[in-house]
């Protein structure tokens, strides 16, 4: 199951740096996760300082 970035995102970029498959990119006002590329490893969620990343 892929992860999703909520509106709590502050666009710090920590999640993108932590993603081993580069499935996270800067979107309009917050970062977004490409669900097709996401491995559901949880690396992004564990590095997010704002707890803005949740499982879908």
């Amino acid at each position: 199951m892929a992860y999703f970035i909520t509106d709590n995102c502050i666009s710090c970029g920590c999640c993108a740096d932590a993603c081993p498959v580069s499935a996270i990119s800067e979107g309009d006002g917050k970062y977004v996760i490409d669900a097709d590329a996401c491995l559901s490893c949880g690396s992004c969620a564990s590095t997010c300082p704002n707890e803005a990343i949740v499982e879908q």
Side-chain angles (χ1 to χ4, degrees):
M1 180 172 286
Y3 281 78
F4 174 77
I5 300 177
T6 68
D7 289 338
N8 290 338
C9 177
I10 58 171
S11 297
C12 67
C14 288
C15 58
D17 293 338
C19 183
V21 293
S22 301
I24 303 173
S25 59
E26 192 169 2
D28 188 24
K30 67 177 183 176
Y31 276 72
V32 293
I33 299 174
D34 178 350
D36 293 331
C38 179
L39 298 176
S40 299
C41 67
S43 294
C44 58
S46 65
T47 61
C48 180
N50 226 34
E51 298 179 358
I53 304 174
V54 296
E55 282 186 277
Q56 282 187 328

